[in-house]
């Protein structure tokens, strides 16, 4: 080409160009400032909690039970209780939520029933957690005679996380590429085989992430377990066998709430230490979600 | 079983469409197409994009059912099955009529399981017998030598050309009598394309192959019969040799000489 060396002539609308550049700069600056402000807020909160909580945390704080009427010692039973609550919730919500999501994605279609189900699950998802707590108290604790117990707490938390799990499962299933479904159909797989062998494995990363993230959120919620599963006085001992389900359990959010309610019985350092532990606990769960997702994704990367 | 098949003088007809129309909502994708297809031959369906050739193909194994607004008129027979009859067994239909897609679609499981899944589910094969079927299918698809040592690896790690041959092996493991191919080479490099073309000819020795393609050289190379579609209508149908050397219709000639499409 001959025009390689030529300078390209741009009509000199200099005034407008300068104004555009200024607006551009100002906008970028403003957006950067806002981004920093939001990050700074989060970091500020985390930093504050670390600053306040770190002095209390030690290996013995995490591994020993409280002593002297809760005014000293560690928070081991609370950590254990939170883990038990999470595991129980996971076991309960997993089949229910995943099956619900599968039903909505594959079987409900576009019927009125499906719309009704969507609307009710969406409003369930928007319900404040304290209402789940009251519902759990009324139905599981009182009506079904479970008493304040691990089982009642897990059931309440399972209900609380159910909508999120149903929706993430449904979305994960809906986002499975049509080409995979067609491939399965063309092979003559039955609907069940198609779901089990093709659709669910493909949707697995999304489903797992949804489940772990929503259990992570549930792990930090105090209201649902306040009235259904929590107990103030905790020891290092656990009942044996299935009896464990019938007993209330101490746990992190409950301990935190009580820490303030009891006004001064639990020393401030312990409360902040619990606060930091809870934060790390939730963080750990979420990190696990990310690890699981990337692992599964890598295994089936396309 | 079939109306006097115009170009198929000495052939056994295995698939036949009679006055077949396909609609998606308001749009009509196929306009009363009548097309008999010969047993154990390669039949190529060609035509510009949106001409209805894929719609025709996907109507044969009822893969169009999932598309909202899909409607079909006319008669279809494939093997001895009426795919749109009230008593059709879809699983049986798709066992006997296999399909390969444009985009390779290995399932997110191992190479072995990809090939085994159909044979396992249709014939309940296990263990040694299943191994044999998998090996045979992979050999037939000219993939065995490349994957025999990595059968447990995820199928998605294979290259595009290998993935497509894996999909062919997966289909062969089910042992279909009719094979539908929807532009099986359009996402592949020339070498892979060549191997799959060879395969089509090989397969047609004991199976019926119907292939949709945009590649006219491919149609000329591999097919015994060619059908040309345009705007949802069947324009011309005949033995590929005559079809490409001396087309009868002006539109066909324009299309195969590259004047449009």
């Amino acid at each position: 080409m001959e025009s390689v060396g030529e300078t390209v002539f741009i009509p000199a609308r200099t005034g407008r160009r300068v104004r555009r550049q200024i607006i551009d700069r100002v906008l970028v600056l403003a957006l950067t400032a806002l981004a920093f402000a939001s990050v700074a807020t989060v970091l500020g909160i985390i930093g504050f909690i670390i600053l306040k909580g770190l002095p209390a945390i030690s290996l013995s704080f995490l591994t020993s039970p409280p002593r002297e009427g809760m005014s000293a010692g560690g928070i081991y039973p609370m950590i254990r209780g939170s883990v038990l609550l999470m595991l129980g919730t996971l076991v309960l919500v997993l089949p229910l939520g995943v099956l619900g999501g599968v039903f909505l994605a594959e079987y409900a279609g576009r019927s009125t029933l499906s719309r009704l189900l969507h609307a009710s699950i969406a409003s369930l998802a928007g319900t404040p957690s304290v209402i789940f707590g009251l519902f759990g108290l009324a139905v599981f604790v009182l009506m079904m005679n479970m008493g304040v117990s691990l089982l009642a707490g897990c059931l309440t938390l399972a209900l609380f996380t159910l909508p999120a799990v149903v929706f993430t499962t449904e979305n994960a299933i809906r986002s499975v590429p049509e080409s995979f479904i067609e491939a399965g159909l063309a092979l003559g797989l039955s609907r069940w085989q198609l779901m089990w062998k093709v659709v669910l494995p493909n949707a697995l990363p999304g489903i797992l992430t949804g489940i772990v993230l929503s259990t992570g959120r549930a792990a930090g919620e105090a209201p649902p377990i306040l009235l259904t599963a929590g107990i103030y006085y905790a020891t290092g001992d656990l009942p044996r066998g299935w009896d464990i389900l019938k007993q209330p359990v101490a746990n992190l959010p409950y301990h935190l709430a009580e820490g303030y309610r009891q006004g001064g019985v639990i020393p401030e350092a312990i409360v902040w230490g619990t606060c930091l532990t809870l934060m790390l606990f939730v963080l750990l769960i979420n990190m696990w979600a990310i690890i699981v997702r990337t692992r599964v994704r890598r295994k089936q990367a396309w | 079983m079939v109306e006097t098949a115009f170009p198929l003088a000495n052939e056994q007809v295995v698939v036949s469409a009679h006055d077949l129309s396909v609609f998606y909502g308001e749009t009509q994708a196929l306009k009363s197409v009548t097309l008999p297809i010969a047993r154990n031959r390669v039949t190529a369906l060609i035509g510009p994009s949106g001409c209805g050739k894929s719609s025709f193909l996907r109507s044969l194994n009822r893969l169009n059912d999932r598309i909202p607004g899909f409607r079909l008129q006319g008669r279809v027979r494939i093997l001895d099955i009426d795919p749109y009859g009230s008593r059709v067994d879809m699983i049986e239909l798709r066992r006997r009529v296999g399909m390969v897609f444009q985009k390779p679609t290995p399932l997110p499981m191992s190479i072995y399981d990809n090939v085994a899944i159909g044979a396992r589910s249709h014939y309940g094969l296990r263990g040694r017998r299943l191994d044999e079927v998998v090996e045979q299918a992979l050999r037939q698809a000219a993939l065995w030598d490349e994957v025999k040592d990595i059968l447990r690896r995820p199928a998605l790690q294979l290259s595009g050309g290998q993935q497509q041959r894996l999909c062919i092996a997966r289909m062969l493991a089910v042992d279909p009598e009719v094979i539908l191919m929807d532009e099986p080479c359009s996402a592949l490099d020339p070498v892979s394309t060549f191997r799959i073309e060879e395969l089509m000819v090989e397969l047609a020795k004991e199976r019926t192959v119907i292939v949709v393609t945009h590649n006219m050289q491919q149609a000329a190379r591999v097919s015994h019969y060619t059908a040309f579609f345009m705007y949802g209508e069947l324009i011309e149908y005949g033995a590929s040799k005559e079809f490409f050397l001396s087309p009868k219709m002006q539109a066909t000639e324009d299309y195969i000489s590259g004047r449009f499409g």
Side-chain angles (χ1 to χ4, degrees):
Chain A
M1 278 220 247
E2 281 177 306
S3 60
V4 167
E6 271 174 43
T7 35
V8 182
F9 181 71
I10 301 170
R13 284 279 192 70
T14 324
R16 191 185 274 184
R17 221 168 73 209
V18 168
R19 219 181 66 202
R20 268 198 208 150
Q21 280 175 351
I22 290 174
I23 293 176
D24 213 38
R25 291 250 172 98
V26 169
L27 270 177
V28 170
L29 215 69
L31 286 175
T32 315
L34 281 173
F36 267 103
S38 58
V39 173
T41 314
V42 174
L43 287 181
I45 294 173
I46 294 174
F48 186 71
I49 293 172
I50 290 178
L51 219 63
K52 288 275 199 179
L54 207 55
I57 290 192
S58 64
L59 194 63
S60 70
F61 180 72
L62 298 176
T63 56
S64 63
R67 283 177 286 112
E68 293 157 38
M70 311 301 286
S71 65
I75 55 164
Y76 168 67
M78 292 78 188
I79 298 176
R80 183 185 59 199
S82 273
V83 171
L84 286 175
L85 277 168
M86 283 313 94
L87 288 178
T89 306
L90 213 56
V91 167
L92 290 170
V93 81
L94 202 92
L96 217 60
V98 172
L99 288 179
V102 169
F103 175 77
L104 279 186
E106 280 298 311
Y107 296 88
R110 290 178 177 79
S111 58
T112 320
L113 173 76
S114 143
R115 271 200 299 267
L116 206 69
L117 279 172
H118 267 111
S120 43
I121 296 173
S123 46
L124 206 60
T127 307
S129 60
V130 66
I131 293 181
F132 283 93
L134 283 169
F135 178 83
L137 174 68
V139 175
F140 301 131
V141 176
L142 300 175
M143 219 160 93
M144 296 171 79
N145 261 328
M146 292 178 192
V148 175
S149 61
L150 178 61
L151 183 61
C154 290
L155 283 166
T156 310
L157 280 176
L159 278 187
F160 173 65
T161 46
L162 187 63
V165 174
V166 169
F167 276 146
T168 44
T169 304
E170 188 194 354
N171 283 333
I173 286 177
R174 280 192 195 279
S175 59
V176 171
E178 185 70 13
S179 58
F180 286 103
I181 295 169
E182 286 191 345
L185 285 174
L187 272 177
L189 300 185
S190 68
R191 216 170 177 185
W192 167 251
Q193 285 172 317
L194 190 69
M195 180 51 66
W196 194 243
K197 296 271 174 72
V198 180
V199 176
L200 279 180
N202 258 302
L204 199 63
I207 295 175
L208 285 179
T209 317
I211 287 172
V212 179
L213 284 181
S214 45
T215 21
R217 222 198 113 207
E221 283 286 336
I225 41 94
L226 220 48
L227 305 167
T228 56
I231 189 173
Y232 177 54
Y233 286 104
T235 63
D237 309 319
L238 263 189
R240 296 196 164 248
W242 293 110
D243 280 350
I244 192 175
L245 288 173
K246 297 177 194 153
Q247 300 291 325
V249 287
N251 58 74
L252 290 168
Y254 187 87
H255 195 58
L256 209 52
E258 287 298 309
Y260 287 104
R261 224 163 45 169
Q262 300 292 332
V265 179
I266 306 178
E268 209 185 309
I270 292 186
V271 176
W272 281 114
T274 311
C275 195
L276 181 57
T277 312
L278 178 60
M279 204 175 75
L280 292 175
F281 185 70
V282 174
L283 195 74
L284 221 64
I285 293 178
N286 290 355
M287 264 168 59
W288 186 61
I290 294 166
I291 290 169
V292 165
R293 186 180 50 188
T294 39
R295 275 249 176 118
V296 178
R297 283 246 168 96
R298 199 182 308 145
K299 233 177 85 186
Q300 50 178 232
W302 58 79
Chain B
M1 144 183 181
V2 180
E3 51 286 325
T4 44
F6 33 108
L8 308 180
N10 301 312
E11 304 280 10
Q12 230 182 324
V13 169
V14 67
V15 178
S16 73
H18 186 80
D19 203 10
L20 182 68
S21 295
V22 166
F23 303 84
Y24 304 114
E26 294 298 303
T27 39
Q28 186 168 3
L30 222 52
K31 293 172 187 160
S32 42
V33 167
T34 296
L35 181 60
I37 285 168
R39 181 186 291 275
N40 297 356
R41 298 282 180 266
V42 179
T43 301
L45 312 180
I46 64 168
S49 297
C51 68
K53 54 195 190 303
S54 283
S55 283
F56 177 80
L57 199 71
R58 295 162 60 95
S59 296
L60 299 180
N61 67 343
R62 290 196 60 171
L63 223 55
N64 278 333
D65 289 22
R66 285 177 68 85
I67 299 171
F70 168 74
R71 211 149 43 78
L72 177 139
Q73 284 170 6
R75 271 195 295 123
V76 186
R77 295 286 288 186
I78 183 159
L79 301 161
D80 50 357
I81 305 170
D82 174 5
Y84 294 89
S86 55
R87 297 168 70 183
V88 66
D89 177 351
M90 301 274 275
I91 291 173
E92 177 74 358
L93 169 71
R94 286 161 178 166
R95 179 181 72 74
R96 299 178 65 188
V97 181
M99 191 166 202
V100 178
F101 298 88
Q102 176 175 6
K103 213 181 112 209
T105 50
L107 301 172
M109 48 181 83
S110 73
I111 294 172
Y112 182 92
D113 285 335
N114 258 282
V115 183
I117 185 171
R120 219 184 252 141
S121 110
H122 288 295
Y123 305 114
L125 296 183
R126 288 161 187 286
R128 186 80 69 74
R129 300 261 297 124
L130 187 59
D131 292 349
E132 280 167 19
V133 167
V134 169
E135 178 177 341
Q136 202 196 342
L138 282 167
R139 277 189 192 284
Q140 232 184 324
L143 190 61
W144 175 252
D145 291 333
E146 289 159 67
V147 300
K148 63 179 179 223
D149 300 320
I150 52 167
L151 288 174
R152 297 289 157 194
R153 284 225 204 122
L156 291 146
Q157 287 179 1
L158 296 174
S159 75
Q162 290 174 324
Q163 288 188 2
Q164 192 64 307
R165 276 178 283 146
L166 181 71
C167 291
I168 292 175
R170 178 175 71 190
M171 168 206 70
L172 290 175
V174 180
D175 195 21
E177 294 155 64
V178 177
I179 296 171
L180 312 175
M181 295 180 144
D182 195 353
E183 299 182 41
C185 302
S186 66
L188 303 182
D189 61 276
V191 177
S192 306
T193 301
F194 176 69
R195 304 186 98 153
I196 288 176
E197 285 182 7
E198 279 185 323
L199 202 59
M200 283 186 220
V201 178
E202 182 67 30
L203 289 176
K205 285 180 183 157
E206 38 189 31
R207 300 167 210 269
T208 306
V209 178
I210 309 175
V211 55
V212 164
T213 178
H214 269 126
N215 183 334
M216 266 158 310
Q217 284 78 25
Q218 180 169 80
R221 275 194 300 264
V222 302
S223 72
H224 303 95
Y225 296 97
T226 301
F228 173 54
F229 286 77
M230 206 166 67
Y231 307 126
E233 288 177 73
L234 178 64
I235 305 292
E236 186 166 348
Y237 182 41
S240 297
K241 252 180 219 153
E242 292 148 41
F243 183 94
F244 285 101
L245 287 178
S246 51
K248 295 187 183 65
M249 308 292 286
Q250 186 61 40
T252 314
E253 194 177 342
D254 288 349
Y255 184 71
I256 61 180
S257 59
R259 243 165 278 171
F260 75 95

